[in-house]
Structures are given as C-alpha cells and as structure tokens.
Amino acid sequence: MSQTISPADATVSPSEQRKKPTACLVLADGQTFYGHGFGAEGRSVAELCFNTAMTGYQEIMTDPSYAGQIVTFTFPHVGNVGVNAEDDEAGTPIAAGMIVRWQPTQPSNWRAASHLSDWLKDQGRIGMGGVDTRRLTRAIRHQGAPHVALQHAADGNFDIQALHERARGFSGLEGLDLARDVTCDAAYSWNQARWAWPDGFPQQTKPVHKVVAVDYGAKRNILRCLASAGCDVTVLPATATVEDVLSHNPDGVFLSNGPGDPAATGEYAVPMIREIIETTDLPVFGICLGHQMLALALGGRTLKMNHGHHGANHPVKDKRSGKVEITSMNHGFAVDAQSLPEDVVETHVSLFDGSNCGIALKDRPVFSVQYHPEASPGPQDSFYLFEQFAEAMAKRAAA
C-alpha cells in the first residue's frame, strides 16, 4: 500500500519541522519520505540499502562496491568528523546518494579538511537528512532492498508521480555488470602500505612477492594491505585475460571487491579465473565480489539476498579454527553454499544468518572471503588472511 510520510510524521526537531522540505525519497511501492537536502541538487535512481557502521561514512561513500546504491546510515551522527583525502577508497564517491537521521554538523576532528555537505556538492552526490531512518530501515528489512528515486531541490518543488515512475522503472542490480564501470582503465603499480602513526601511508620498498590484482572495483586499503604483507602489486582491469595476468609473471593472483551481479561480471571474469586455477599452481585470494567470482569459477552459484549485509559489526565464524571474527561487510549477493562442489570447503559462515562467508579448495592455496578484512573493525581480527596469502606464495617459491 502506498504511504506518504510527511516531515511532521518523522521524529525530527521542531526547528526542522518548520522548514520546507528540500529533499524527497520515493520508493517503488509509493512510500514517500521527505527531508532536507544537502550536497548536490538533482535526482538519482538506485537500489536502497542500509549500513549499520558507526564510523567510516567517507569510506562507505567512496567504496566502488556501492555503485548503483543509495545508502541509509542507521547511525545518526554522520558528518561530524568531516572528510579528508586520506580516507577515500576511490578517487570520487561511488554511492549514488546518502540518507541520514540528522543534518551534518560542523566537523570536529583534527583530520577534517572539508565539510561533508561541501564535499558531496563538489562530487555531484545527493544527501538527505531529517529522515526517520529506523522506519526506513525496517521497510528495507521487510520488503528487501527497494528501488528508489531521490531528489534534492532547494525550492522544495517535487513531481512525486515522476519520481515514483522513475523508481518503478529502475531495472535493479540483478543481471547488471557494474565492475566495468568502476574498474581501472589500464594497468598500474601499487606500493603504498597501510596507514601508520605519525607519518601516514609508507611505501613498500622491499616487496617479496609479485601479485597481480584484478580490479573489479578495488578499495585502496585492500591494495595497501597487500603491500603491507610484502607484495609488489600490479593492478589490472576487470576484463584482464589469462595472457594479461601471466605476462607479469606473478607469484599470486588477487581478486578484488566490486559492485553488481556476480553472474553478470562472471561472464568474462570466470573463464579467466578458471583457466588460472586449472593451468597454473598460483595461489589465488579473493574478497567480496572476488569471492563470488572464485565460487562461480569453481562450480558454485550466487544468489540475490533480501537486503544484503552492510555494516562493521558482523560476526563471522572460521569453521576450521572455531574463531569468531568481527567483520565489515558490504554485499547484496551471496554464494550458495549448497551449490559448492566436493573439492571446495566452506571455511567461514555468518553468525547472523548462516550465509556463506568463505571458501577454499581442499588441496590448493586458493581461497576467498565474503567480508572485508582490510576494513579492520576487529580491528586486526582478519589481517591473517593477507598473511596466509603471502605464506602460500612463499611456500610455492620455496618448492
């Protein structure tokens, strides 16, 4: 049933209620949320998800895995530490927009270089505040990630019917290959390591292993973690062929995170990965979309989740050791564990819903995880995966 939620219906301050709405969010089922816009003016159509993280909104907005999505932040105080160049996971914001509880305040952090609203405006991204994000989150959980249209108009004039039609007309992420939109244009080298106090990002000057990273939408901090684990990283576009990969004479192959439907990206990525596994003894490590690409290459299937996993507090159990890691997640598709062949073992599972979070070949150093070990919510619970990848390359070299 269509439902319109006026500004007075949401739990907002009296001063906010007196303002004329300058932003509007319309769901494909007709539900309409009003609020106050910030950042750029304009319209955006996308899938709506929610993220439960208390920190890292800049990293979330610049994570290439959020292509085609608008993010609802359940934590109310978004924008209070501003933005800075060091925290970008990509060159520009990738998420189509953001929905928050309160309007961003003036930043109060020694690292802040700009106000969140100014940054979004400069980057052409829409923000909307003054929304009952708890009610919006419940709607996402109950009906699945909806298709929405978001508009920021300073004059407060909205064509609700047109926005509704745009939301209903959005094709969604299923069947959509977005990796091509966010991958690099050409190969490049990466040697920047993880941030360290007080000097910032050091350079990896004595790498031990040569790694080819296939970029389906790679986050910069993943590349930094590879460098910190002793890797000389060469990044290749998502469409890289077997010949492209092997021409760099790598010691290992890394499959990055990324957006969209893994089955769509897999049409060109899976044959390359499968041939690497079948014709070489190279260690292979995947994260997020890279995990799903590896599962497809090994004979598994992927499926669309109801509302996905997006947050920095997801408990994941390592079935081999019994250890529980607190992880960061961002995915709307998942590997179907029931589809995995006999030579593939499920290594990790979500303790929230039992969904698959990791796989490995039984007799080869070929493995992947659904979550993001580089995001450090634990904070160091999952860095062992990069070390495991490095150890596998070292053993191969010794043999």
Side-chain angles (χ1 to χ4, degrees):
M1 179 182 296
S2 297
Q3 182 179 16
T4 298
I5 301 174
S6 69
D9 292 328
T11 308
V12 297
S13 66
S15 61
E16 284 181 314
Q17 291 182 12
R18 286 193 294 269
K19 297 178 183 177
K20 183 178 181 180
T22 57
C24 179
L25 178 74
V26 181
L27 279 59
D29 68 357
Q31 292 188 72
T32 304
F33 292 75
Y34 291 94
H36 304 291
F38 56 93
E41 289 190 67
R43 299 184 184 90
S44 183
V45 181
E47 179 182 276
L48 184 68
C49 67
F50 66 86
N51 190 298
T52 59
M54 297 176 66
T55 61
Y57 55 83
Q58 182 180 345
E59 292 92 328
I60 290 167
M61 290 299 294
T62 55
D63 180 351
S65 296
Y66 278 106
Q69 294 180 299
I70 293 171
V71 185
T72 299
F73 290 85
T74 62
F75 187 69
H77 304 294
V78 172
N80 53 348
V81 297
V83 295
N84 64 80
E86 289 186 336
D87 289 346
D88 286 345
E89 290 289 0
T92 59
I94 304 297
M98 66 189 309
I99 311 295
V100 298
R101 178 66 188 86
W102 302 115
Q103 294 288 103
T105 58
Q106 286 298 318
S108 178
N109 186 277
W110 66 274
R111 298 177 68 235
S114 178
H115 192 288
L116 173 61
S117 181
D118 295 336
W119 179 71
L120 289 174
K121 184 176 181 179
D122 291 341
Q123 301 295 337
R125 290 296 185 271
I126 302 171
M128 176 178 174
V131 178
D132 186 347
T133 52
R134 291 175 299 179
R135 186 169 188 171
L136 187 55
T137 298
R138 285 197 299 269
I140 297 171
R141 286 179 58 88
H142 292 160
Q143 69 185 63
H147 301 167
V148 301
L150 171 65
Q151 182 177 4
H152 173 201
D155 59 9
N157 293 324
F158 307 105
D159 186 337
I160 300 302
Q161 182 178 348
L163 291 173
H164 186 203
E165 290 175 355
R166 283 173 175 259
R168 292 186 62 184
F170 180 60
S171 62
L173 301 186
E174 287 190 82
L176 204 58
D177 171 30
L178 292 175
R180 289 181 186 268
D181 296 336
V182 296
T183 189
C184 57
D185 295 326
Y188 64 93
S189 297
W190 183 278
N191 61 5
Q192 188 180 77
R194 291 192 299 169
W195 195 91
W197 175 267
D199 300 320
F201 297 114
Q203 301 295 308
Q204 172 58 270
T205 58
K206 297 180 180 180
V208 180
H209 316 291
K210 194 168 185 178
V211 170
V212 164
V214 184
D215 175 18
Y216 303 118
K219 295 172 65 177
R220 290 174 175 173
N221 213 43
I222 290 179
L223 302 179
R224 294 186 188 111
C225 286
L226 288 170
S228 291
C231 300
D232 174 11
V233 183
T234 299
V235 184
L236 298 185
T239 54
T241 65
V242 172
E243 291 74 21
D244 293 333
V245 172
L246 297 183
S247 69
H248 294 274
N249 193 28
D251 300 312
V253 177
F254 175 76
L255 310 173
S256 88
N257 64 292
D261 189 335
T265 302
E267 290 185 6
Y268 57 86
V270 163
M272 182 277 288
I273 299 168
R274 184 178 292 133
E275 188 170 348
I276 290 289
I277 295 171
E278 292 176 349
T279 62
T280 76
D281 62 348
L282 292 172
V284 178
F285 174 31
I287 288 175
C288 194
L289 182 61
H291 163 68
Q292 297 161 359
M293 291 294 97
L294 181 61
L296 292 173
L298 294 175
R301 295 191 303 269
T302 57
L303 48 84
K304 184 76 164 67
M305 305 175 75
N306 179 61
H307 54 270
H309 290 164
H310 309 276
N313 59 345
H314 287 247
V316 168
K317 182 177 181 179
D318 185 332
K319 296 174 69 174
R320 301 163 298 182
S321 66
K323 173 185 175 181
V324 175
E325 306 165 36
I326 300 302
T327 73
S328 176
M329 288 198 184
N330 172 27
H331 61 106
F333 292 81
V335 172
D336 179 3
Q338 302 301 315
S339 70
L340 297 172
E342 291 185 0
D343 60 342
V344 179
V345 60
E346 181 179 53
T347 58
H348 298 76
V349 294
S350 167
L351 294 185
F352 277 161
D353 60 10
S355 60
N356 174 265
C357 289
I359 60 172
L361 274 178
K362 291 182 178 180
D363 58 352
R364 293 271 305 279
V366 174
F367 63 98
S368 60
V369 291
Q370 181 64 74
Y371 54 95
H372 284 264
E374 86 291 342
S376 302
Q380 301 297 326
D381 288 10
S382 307
F383 190 74
Y384 72 91
L385 292 160
F386 294 99
E387 296 171 339
Q388 178 180 320
F389 184 42
E391 290 170 3
M393 289 185 286
K395 288 181 180 179
R396 176 179 178 272

